[in-house]
């Protein structure tokens, strides 16, 4: 059947399985599933590195965490059976599930969890910033705890939605990690699939892990959390960088699922019962200013730039059609009801040339060049950049577009003298301060001390209400005064599966478990 | 005739490697084997001999178009054997060559006028080049209007004359003529020979004249050398050679000259045996296998040069003193 | 000749040294580094710095170079932080598909180009010539990725007779599957090369058609076709061999675009991916291998010159 | 008396020759013009090439809109009377972009092919002539050919900033060995001809032999290869620009229009077909023209 | 002598080249015949069209781009200019073969001489490779090339001028043609080899009844071998007669001049050789009347105005002149 997952119905991604027994491998079910991804991950050590593709392949399939993300961006328990926290949110204790096996045959114990979690805290900049010097400790074989100096109410959210995954791996693999790079040499987790083979530039293959014991209620799986079962024994993630090739491949049946459908091709699959389309709000696009140096260090100038932008044109050029984007001034997602606020809305999408002129005059703008950095690896960013350039030029700001490949982009981006603004996107997170551009060290560099204090306050608050008011204030402050970024809007990512795939759970990407492919 | 030597070559050897299947050198063609020649100012030295005996190779070696395997070459008393290509260039205007194969020695993409004018340009001769070229064309019996034609539009004989014009245009001191008139009809041939003689008289030119037509050679040469299989077997003044050929090969050669008279049938000396190959020359005297007068010593020892009369030398065991 | 071959093979050493120095310099001129690309978007500056340090990227270039060359002498061609495999295996894995594809594409192009070129030369100025000329010029100007996509749409999506993308190794899947998957990419590469070789054949054959020996062959009663194929083509072979050699080299060192469109894990993809993620050691190793390949292919081409034209001696 | 008549005949002769020279020159000119104008295809080639060059030069006059004028809401509109070639993914007028694109693309094509032609021929000719040079230059070419163009381009960009120049230099470096090899192959054959030996006998310098006698005889395969390079350089330019190491971006070029069109190949044919056609034109023109030059230079043809 | 069978008869052959300067008739209205077993000598001024005539008989020039033929060439009664190219291919090299004037450029530089000799053998006589090779060696030996077993595998550029010419002869003779057109076959040969080759041709001509057209400048060779001679001047035949008649009393002033120009071995003390004064006109500037008139010592006003016919003057002696020498 034709199923289109629209943003407002994203709760649907909690797939209700009709009957778990019927889905056992039978003759009319294939033993292989081919998912075409658009790029090879740098590594599957997703604790050390972030990245969509790596998460899609490994998170939940191979690796599991103590907690993981649910479809409403909150945390659900995965490897932990339960947890306790003290009143001021400084001491967290997790009870682990017993009898959970690693792919190498060992049982998961507290030692493994402690080693994994502490490695994560060190690797993940969000985590190390919020957790500081505290580390997990073993209480007994199945209990771990962490005590912190300052309260951290959102530890679970941090673990569930941070850019890098706090995956639990055997302590021995951590000890065996490559001494030079610190990367894991073996990908051993506790998930329903185990890593089998990585054919460079061809595919990554994961296979069913026979000793996996599902948790939760059969048939109930909310995004990554719930009852998981490897129904298709072999899953291939075919690495297909060329967009058109993926599109052709789903049509020829080469692939059962393609990741990142070029949006212009959406209409080809619409109203076609052979395919299922997935269209899910996936992140936000925006321009991050260099607040450390150069002309955009002046917040008034940033305001001027922001006032010149026509967000609709930008988003349309990047995402082709309102089906795939929405204009929204809130840094957090509409779906994250608790965090949603319209504070600062009036500064968004103003496209008022008089205002721009006023602001430019106020900033004393003198025809200096605004260097806009963008990577050509992402067509959408590049498209947006072209439009931004066009609009700013029209507004009387001299813009140089600096387009480069990803590696160059990363290195220029970390050099405050190289750019004034760059275009990027970020994924939804459970806590506003987890948005990477909020951190001081992230390129763009938040230097506004007031904003930094507000962040700190939010992080350490111990009541929901406090943090929400904090947040509202903070967003208002950002839009009106500090303007660390200009958010353009939210966008969705499209994927297509052949309608032969059943029970595919989709949330930021396809999940292989529980899904079957009929012949 | 002065007795000034303009070109002297001593003990020239030129061997070509012969390659086997895998490009390995399996043998050598001894195209020129220990030949010494002298050319005096204002004289014509005729060179005759069996085809493939190394006349052209000798000519090309003297021009240093081929590196001699051994031996020395002196031009105007300067030893040019080890001259570099660059240094040779200044010598080139003095010694010129008419190639045996006229067509392939002309660049098919250049018009005759260009070919000839270029020569003047190369040697940086300042004059009305086009006029000089038109003149020389006429001199060799072509027409001025041929100036803008490509070599392929000419007949064999006409091409040969272009080659000749190219050698003459520079006023060289020595010309190596490798069959310069073989493709010409007798009337043009006479015209060319007259021209060569006139020039010689005018400018005291020296010719090394390679030809097959004995009557032409006889007519034009002052001295004649006879080559056989890479060796210079006999050398004498023209009249002397024709009157008194010593080497059995020379005798056979002269007897084979046809007559331009249908009524005369001459008696030829027919040589016995196969023509030997320079790939694998016979031991001793290279001619002994075909020589009607061969003696046992001929197959064992190489004969040395002997002067039988004034300026008449021969390499043959028959003439032991 | 043996000497010549040995000499040429020895000349590899300076080539490799120079190439390695050049490539090393180039790599270090390019912004970006493997540590940063490995750690990705989210990594903190400190972590990147640590990784750079432990990878030795902060050493002076000369030290890095000496270190790398030293490794080579111990049989260690470096390691990729992105690919957890020994270097020789990485290269072998990628070179297989490329070689298959190259040979297949060249075969296709030769089968098309030789007859077309000869016909065009023979019918110079006639309609056949013009049709072939126009096709070959279109072939030259259609980018291979476009051709590839059109082929996919036609043969895979519409007609469903050939797979659209992917690669099946001979050893695992058998020859037929292997060929099946390579057919479309080979065609799209082959057509482009065919266009060039056709033009080259036409023009070189035309060059020799006016020669006397062609006339001579005619006088011997040799048939027209045989004259063209045996006498004319043989004499026109040098530039043709050269383009074939050059095509071979070009394809070997990466039919990048086509490999991407058809998702073939070949050298071209390896090079581009390594360059894009600054996988230094892989770039260095691959470039050296390609240089080696070039020297070998050109050696073969040069030896073929000698066979094609006995007057040429390169020694 | 005798003297005087000799003088007059001399003068007369001078005059005759002068007349003849003039006559020959005139005839020659006529032949050349005739040969070229009679070569219809070459004329068509020349006309196409010149027309394309004019289009590039006169782009601001011809183009109905600016190459950067965008109206995003108008994206991917079919060709119509407003936008005769339709619009691109940013809603820019494709016709104008293609016309402006001619500047970059033909510029890059021409520059790359000219540089590699000149440098490649120098390398090829000299290495065919001097054996020691051969082993050095050819090995350098082998090495050059191994270095990936993207790497070169990225490195150049880092050193010299983004500009078309980087693309041109990096592509030229990649293509020089091709021309060098093709030149060398023909030159090796030509070098063995008797007429080269005869030039040596005339005392021609190596340079003269190389440039006046070998070079014209190797041109025809070189022309073919050069026109091929012209075409591939245009496409390559795009793939490099796309990595940000080429033409500073929103600037239009046929290659990057094609690349943008690639993603919409299923729903906007004009984004592929039209820039593709515009690329085929100069290639066709150049090839026909090159053929014509070959014919005119070929002494055997008439 | 009984009237013999004509193996080849050329009637009013005209060959015109399409050149940059327009059409040029290199050969105009040439007629002659060759009998079976006869050697016909062709002499004439350099550039008068001998080679062009020879090559026209085989239709070697490219008819599409280069030349235009007119007239008739009857070989065994069949007009060669009419038959299709396919049939012509069958005749070339097998029935009629040719020795080219320029031996180096006519041999294919990239094949060994052996391969080049074997080609027509395998083509026309359907020999096996081995057999053909043996035959090639035999042919080389026949034309007097030493060490033929080694020479077969050499390339043309490795041979001397004379050897190349002999290779050409070997190719031409390999299939025992019925008509041999030899375009200056002995120019590059020394007299001994020349004698040998001429003997060979005469022998074949005698034994196999091979017709021969012998184009040469060497009047001595003509005198020794030919029965009948034609003399050409500027694209036309000007005289045709038995060899004795030509040498004894040439009728055309050109022939006369030619014979007088021969340098003789016995000549003593001559300082200059006799030449025919004047120059051959260009093909596109041919005089209206008799073509030789501008250079003819006996030319009258009529000669400059009118073109004389090629007519029988005295028995089998044909001449193109209003005032043949010795007939006044
Ligand atoms: N391809 C051509 N194009 C134009 N003119 C030509 C061509 N070939 C020959 N000619 C002209 O035709 C005339 C006859 O040439 P041909 O080769 O038959 O002379 P020939 O009698 O064989 O002279 P030779 O004894 O010098 O070889 C010459 O004037 C020559 O210039
Ligand atoms: N490049 C070469 N490679 C091998 N052998 C060669 C080469 N050039 C000439 N020869 C051999 O050298 C010998 C002498 O050749 P050369 O051309 O000097 O003879 P020639 O006396 O000029 O004969 P002709 O009178 O026939 O021209 C021949 O046996 C020939 O085969
Ligand atoms: Mg010779
Ligand atoms: Mg001739």
């Amino acid at each position: 059947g034709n199923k289109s997952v629209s943003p407002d119905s994203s709760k649907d991604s909690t797939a209700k399985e009709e009957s778990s027994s019927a889905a056992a491998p039978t003759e009319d079910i294939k033993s292989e599933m081919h998912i075409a991804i658009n790029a090879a991950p740098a590594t599957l050590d997703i604790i050390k590195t972030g990245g969509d593709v790596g998460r899609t392949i490994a998170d939940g399939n191979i690796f599991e965490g103590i907690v993981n993300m649910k479809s409403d961006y909150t945390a659900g328990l995965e490897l932990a059976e339960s947890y306790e926290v003290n009143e001021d949110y400084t001491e967290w204790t997790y009870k682990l599930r017993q009898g959970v096996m690693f792919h190498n045959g060992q049982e998961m114990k507290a030692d493994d969890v402690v080693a994994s979690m502490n490695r994560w805290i060190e690797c993940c900049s969000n985590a190390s910033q919020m957790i500081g010097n505290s580390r997990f400790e073993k209480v007994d074989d199945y209990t771990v705890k962490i005590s912190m100096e300052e309260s951290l109410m959102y530890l679970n959210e941090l673990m569930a939605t941070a850019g890098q995954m706090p995956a639990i791996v055997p302590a021995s693999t951590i000890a065996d990690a490559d001494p030079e790079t610190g990367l894991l040499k073996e990908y051993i987790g506790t998930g329903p699939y185990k890593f089998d083979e990585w054919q460079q530039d061809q595919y990554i293959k994961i296979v069913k892990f026979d000793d996996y014991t599902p948790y939760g209620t059969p048939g109930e799986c909310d995004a990554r959390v719930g009852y998981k079962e490897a129904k298709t024994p072999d899953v291939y993630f075919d690495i297909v960088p060329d967009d058109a090739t993926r599109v052709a491949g789903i049509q020829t049946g080469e692939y059962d699922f393609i990741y990142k459908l070029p949006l212009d091709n959406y209409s080809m699959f619409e109203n076609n019962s052979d395919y299922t389309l997935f269209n899910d709000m996936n992140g936000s696009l925006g321009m991050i200013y260099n607040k450390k140096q150069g002309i955009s260090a002046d917040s008034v100038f940033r305001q001027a730039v922001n006032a010149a932008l026509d967000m609709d044109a930008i988003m349309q050029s990047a995402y082709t059609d309102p089906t795939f984007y929405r204009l929204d001034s809130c840094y957090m997602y509409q779906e994250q009801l608790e965090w949603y606020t319209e504070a600062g809305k009036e500064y968004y999408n103003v496209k008022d040339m008089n205002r721009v002129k006023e602001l430019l005059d106020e900033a004393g703008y003198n025809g200096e060049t605004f260097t806009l950095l963008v990577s050509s690896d992402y067509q959408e960013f590049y498209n947006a950049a072209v439009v931004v350039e066009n609009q700013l030029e029209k507004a009387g700001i001299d813009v140089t577009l600096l387009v480069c490949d990803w590696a160059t982009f990363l290195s220029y981006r970390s050099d405050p003298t190289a750019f004034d603004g760059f275009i990027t996107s970020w994924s939804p997170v459970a806590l506003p301060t987890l948005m990477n551009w909020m951190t001081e060290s992230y390129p763009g560099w938040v230097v506004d001390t007031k904003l930094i204090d507000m962040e700190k306050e939010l992080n350490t608050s111990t009541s929901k209400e406090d943090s929400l008011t904090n947040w509202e204030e903070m967003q208002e402050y950002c839009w009106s005064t500090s303007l660390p970024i200009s958010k353009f809007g939210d966008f969705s990512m499209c994927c297509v599966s052949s309608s032969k795939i059943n029970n595919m759970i989709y949330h930021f990407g396809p999940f292989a478990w529980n899904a079957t492919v009929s012949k | 005739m002065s007795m000034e030597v303009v070109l002297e070559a001593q003990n020239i050897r030129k061997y070509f490697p012969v390659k086997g299947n895998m490009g390995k050198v399996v043998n050598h063609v001894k195209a020129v084997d220990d030949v010494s020649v002298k050319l005096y100012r204002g004289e014509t030295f005729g060179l005759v001999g069996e085809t493939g005996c190394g006349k052209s190779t000798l000519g090309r070696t003297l021009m240093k178009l081929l590196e001699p395997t051994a031996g020395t070459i002196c031009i105007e008393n300067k030893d040019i054997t080890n001259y570099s290509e660059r240094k040779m260039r200044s010598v080139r205007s003095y010694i010129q060559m008419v190639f045996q194969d006229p067509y392939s020695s002309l660049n098919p993409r250049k018009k005759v006028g260009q070919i000839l004018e270029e020569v003047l340009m190369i040697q940086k001769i300042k004059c009305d080049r086009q006029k000089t070229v038109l003149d020389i064309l006429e001199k060799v019996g072509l027409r001025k209007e041929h100036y803008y034609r490509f070599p392929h539009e000419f007949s064999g004989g006409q091409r040969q004359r272009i080659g000749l014009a190219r050698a003459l245009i520079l006023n060289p001191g020595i010309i190596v003529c490798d069959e310069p008139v073989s493709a010409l009809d007798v009337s043009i041939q006479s015209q060319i020979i007259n021209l060569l003689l006139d020039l010689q008289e005018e400018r005291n030119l020296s010719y090394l004249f390679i030809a097959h037509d004995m009557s032409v050679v006889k007519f034009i040469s002052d001295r004649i050398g006879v080559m056989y299989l890479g060796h210079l077997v006999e050398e004498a003044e023209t009249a002397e050679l024709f009157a008194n050929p010593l080497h059995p090969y020379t005798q056979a050669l002269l007897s084979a000259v046809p007559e331009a008279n249908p009524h005369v049938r001459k008696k030829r000396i027919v040589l016995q045996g196969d023509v030997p190959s320079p790939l694998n020359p016979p031991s001793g005297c290279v001619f002994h296998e075909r020589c009607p007068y061969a003696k046992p010593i001929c197959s064992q020892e190489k004969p040395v040069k002997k002067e039988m009369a004034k300026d008449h030398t021969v390499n043959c065991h028959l003439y032991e003193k | 000749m043996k000497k010549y071959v040995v000499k040429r093979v020895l000349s590899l050493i300076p080539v490799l040294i120079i190439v390695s120095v050049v490539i090393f310099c180039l790599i270090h001129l390019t912004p970006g580094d493997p540590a940063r690309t490995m750690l990705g978007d989210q990594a903190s500056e400190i972590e990147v710095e640590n990784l750079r340090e432990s990878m030795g990227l902060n050493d002076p270039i000369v030290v890095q170079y000496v270190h790398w060359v030293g490794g080579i002498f111990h049989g260690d061609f470096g390691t990729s932080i992105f690919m957890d495999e020994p270097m020789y295996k990485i290269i072998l894995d990628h070179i297989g598909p490329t070689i298959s594809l190259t040979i297949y594409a060249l075969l296709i192009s030769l089968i098309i180009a030789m007859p077309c070129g000869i016909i065009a030369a023979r019918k110079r100025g006639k309609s056949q010539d013009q049709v072939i000329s126009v096709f070959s010029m279109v072939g030259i100007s259609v980018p291979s990725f476009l051709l590839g996509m059109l082929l996919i749409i036609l043969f895979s999506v519409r007609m469903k007779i050939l797979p659209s993308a992917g690669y099946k190794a001979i050893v695992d899947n058998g020859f037929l599957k292997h060929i099946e998957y390579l057919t479309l990419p080979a065609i799209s590469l082959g057509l482009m090369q065919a266009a060039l070789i056709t033009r080259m054949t036409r023009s070189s054959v035309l060059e020799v058609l006016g020669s006397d020996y062609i006339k001579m062959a005619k006088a011997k009663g040799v048939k027209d076709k045989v004259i063209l194929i045996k006498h004319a083509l043989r004499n026109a072979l040098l530039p043709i061999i050269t383009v074939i050699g050059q095509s071979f080299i070009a394809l070997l060192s990466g039919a990048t675009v086509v490999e991407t469109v058809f998702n073939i894990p070949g050298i071209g993809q390896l090079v581009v991916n390594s360059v894009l993620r600054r996988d230094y050691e892989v770039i260095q190793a691959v470039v050296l291998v390609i240089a080696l390949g070039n020297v070998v292919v050109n050696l073969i081409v040069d030896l073929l010159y000698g066979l094609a034209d006995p007057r040429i001696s390169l020694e | 008396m005798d003297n005087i008549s000799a003088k007059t005949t001399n003068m007369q002769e001078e005059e005759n020759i002068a007349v003849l020279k003039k006559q020959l020159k005139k005839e020659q000119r006529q032949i050349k013009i005739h040969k070229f104008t009679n070569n219809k295809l070459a004329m068509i080639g020349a006309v196409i090439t010149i027309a394309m060059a004019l289009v590039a030069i006169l782009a601001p006059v011809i183009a109905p809109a600016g190459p950067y004028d965008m109206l995003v809401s108008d994206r991917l509109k079919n060709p119509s009377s407003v936008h005769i070639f339709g619009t691109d993914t940013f809603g820019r007028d494709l016709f104008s972009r293609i016309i402006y694109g001619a500047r970059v693309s033909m510029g890059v094509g021409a520059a790359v092919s000219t540089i590699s032609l000149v440098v490649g021929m120098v390398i090829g000719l000299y290495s065919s002539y001097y054996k020691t040079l051969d082993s050095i230059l050819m090995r350098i070419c082998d090495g050059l050919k191994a270095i990936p163009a993207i790497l070169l381009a990225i490195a150049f960009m880092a050193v010299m900033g983004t500009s078309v120049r980087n693309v041109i230099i990096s592509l030229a470096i990649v293509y020089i060995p091709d021309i060098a090899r093709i030149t060398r192959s023909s030159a090796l054959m030509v070098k063995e001809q008797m007429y080269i030996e005869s030039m040596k006998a005339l005392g021609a310098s190596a340079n003269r032999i190389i440039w006046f006698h070998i070079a014209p005889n190797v041109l025809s395969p070189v022309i073919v290869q050069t026109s091929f390079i012209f075409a591939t350089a245009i496409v390559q330019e795009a793939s490099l620009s796309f990595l940000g190491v080429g033409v500073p971006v929103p600037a239009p070029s046929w290659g990057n229009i094609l690349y943008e069109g690639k993603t919409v190949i299923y729903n906007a044919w004009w984004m592929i077909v039209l820039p593709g056609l515009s690329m085929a034109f100069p290639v066709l023109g150049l090839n026909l023209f090159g053929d014509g030059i070959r014919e005119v230079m070929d002494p055997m043809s008439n | 002598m009984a009237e013999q069978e004509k193996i080849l008869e050329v009637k009013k052959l005209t060959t015109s080249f399409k050149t940059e300067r327009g059409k040029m008739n290199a050969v105009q209205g040439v007629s002659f015949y060759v009998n079976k077993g006869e050697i016909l000598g062709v002499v004439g001024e350099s550039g008068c069209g001998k080679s062009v005539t020879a090559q026209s008989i085989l239709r070697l020039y490219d008819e599409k781009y280069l030349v235009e033929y007119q007239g008739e060439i009857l070989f065994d009664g069949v007009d060669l200019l009419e038959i299709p190219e396919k049939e012509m291919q069958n005749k070339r090299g097998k029935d009629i073969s040719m020795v080219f004037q320029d031996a180096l450029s006519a041999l294919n530089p990239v094949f060994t001489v052996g391969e080049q000799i074997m080609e027509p053998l395998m083509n026309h006589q359907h020999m096996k490779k081995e057999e053909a090779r043996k035959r090639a060696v035999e042919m080389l030996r026949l034309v007097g090339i030493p060490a033929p077993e080694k020479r077969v595998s050499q390339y043309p550029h490795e041979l001397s001028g004379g050897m190349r010419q002999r290779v050409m002869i070997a190719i031409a003779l390999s299939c025992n043609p019925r008509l041999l057109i030899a375009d200056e076959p002995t120019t590059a040969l020394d007299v001994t080899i020349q004698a040998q080759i001429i003997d060979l041709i005469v022998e074949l001509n005698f034994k196999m009844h091979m017709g021969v057209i012998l184009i040469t400048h060497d009047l001595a060779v003509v005198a020794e071998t030919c029965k009948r001679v034609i003399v050409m001047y500027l694209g036309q035949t000007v005289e045709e007669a038995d060899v004795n008649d030509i040498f004894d009393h040439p009728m055309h002033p050109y022939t006369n001049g030619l014979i007088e120009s021969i340098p003789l071995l016995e000549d003593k003390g001559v300082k200059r050789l006799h030449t025919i004064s004047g120059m051959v006109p260009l093909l596109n500037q041919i005089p209206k009347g008799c073509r030789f008139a501008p250079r003819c010592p006996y030319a009258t006003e009529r000669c400059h105005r009118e073109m004389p016919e090629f007519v029988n003057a005295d028995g089998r002696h044909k001449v193109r002149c209003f005032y043949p020498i010795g007939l006044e």
Side-chain angles (χ1 to χ4, degrees), chain B residues 51 142 148 198 218 275, chain E residues 21 46 146 166 265 272 279:
Chain B
T51 62
L142 294 171
Y148 280 118
D198 289 348
K218 184 182 175 192
V275 186
Chain E
R21 295 170 189 77
S46 160
R166 279 179 280 169
L265 264 186
R272 290 182 69 85
M279 262 178 150

Side-chain angles (χ1 to χ4, degrees), chain B residues 16-18 29-32 49-58 60 66 100 178-179 210 212 227 278-279, chain E residues 151 154 157-164 166 188-190:
Chain B
F16 292 106
V18 176
V29 177
K30 299 183 173 170
V32 175
E50 188 148 40
T51 62
C53 67
K55 303 182 295 294
S56 306
T57 307
L58 178 63
R60 285 163 73 200
L66 297 174
Q100 182 173 16
D178 197 353
E179 316 240 359
I210 303 171
H212 286 305
M227 275 185 81
L279 286 168
Chain E
R151 294 289 186 187
Q154 280 192 305
H157 72 280
E158 296 174 330
L159 303 183
S160 78
M163 291 178 190
R164 285 181 222 139
R166 279 179 280 169
L189 301 182
D190 68 294

Side-chain angles (χ1 to χ4, degrees), chain B residues 17-19 27 29 49-53 55-56 100-104 111 137-146 148-150 152-153 155-159 161 179 182-195 197-198 201 212-216 218-219 242 249 252-254 256-266 268-269 271 274-280 290, chain E residues 19-21 24 44-51 66 101-105 141 144-148 150-151 154 157-158 160-164 166 184 186-196 198-199 217-226 243-244 247-248 254 257-259 261-268 270-276 278-285 295:
Chain B
V18 176
K19 288 189 189 134
N27 201 348
V29 177
E50 188 148 40
T51 62
C53 67
K55 303 182 295 294
S56 306
Q100 182 173 16
D101 200 82
Y103 188 31
S104 48
K111 303 197 163 152
L137 278 179
E138 200 147 47
K139 273 208 184 110
V140 297
L142 294 171
R143 304 209 41 138
K144 292 196 170 95
E145 288 84 350
H146 284 136
Y148 280 118
R149 302 239 168 132
F150 286 109
H152 79 272
E153 293 178 90
S155 78
Q158 290 166 335
R159 288 172 194 162
R161 281 176 272 165
E179 316 240 359
S182 62
L184 303 179
D185 69 285
V186 277
S187 132
I188 305 264
Q189 178 177 311
S190 308
Q191 196 184 325
I192 296 293
I193 288 173
N194 288 344
L195 174 68
L197 288 175
D198 289 348
E201 204 155 296
H212 286 305
D213 190 330
M214 293 308 284
S215 45
V216 170
K218 184 182 175 192
F219 184 80
F242 276 87
Y249 176 69
L253 193 68
L254 291 182
V257 176
E259 285 277 335
N261 184 343
H263 306 293
V264 194
R265 294 274 176 227
K266 272 205 334 202
R268 289 194 215 135
I269 301 173
L271 292 173
D274 280 342
V275 186
S277 154
L279 286 168
N280 190 7
R290 303 171 71 196
Chain E
T19 74
E20 317 176 317
R21 295 170 189 77
M24 288 211 215
E45 175 103 21
S46 160
C48 68
K50 303 181 295 292
S51 306
L66 190 62
Q101 186 173 7
D102 217 326
L104 179 56
S105 42
R141 184 170 293 124
I145 290 187
K150 294 214 174 98
R151 294 289 186 187
Q154 280 192 305
H157 72 280
E158 296 174 330
S160 78
M163 291 178 190
R164 285 181 222 139
R166 279 179 280 169
E184 315 216 4
T186 59
T187 37
L189 301 182
D190 68 294
V191 280
T192 52
I193 304 286
Q194 173 174 325
Q196 202 178 323
I198 296 291
D199 284 350
H217 289 306
D218 197 335
L219 294 173
V221 170
V222 174
E224 277 199 2
T225 44
C226 303
V243 69
N244 293 348
F247 279 92
D248 293 346
Y254 173 69
L258 208 55
I259 287 170
S261 310
I262 305 173
L264 294 176
L265 264 186
E266 297 81 48
D267 278 350
K268 289 214 173 80
V270 189
K271 265 281 160 212
R272 290 182 69 85
L273 292 170
H274 178 270
T275 58
I276 302 169
M279 262 178 150
V280 199
L282 285 170
L283 283 179
N284 50 1
Q285 291 171 7
R295 301 173 70 187

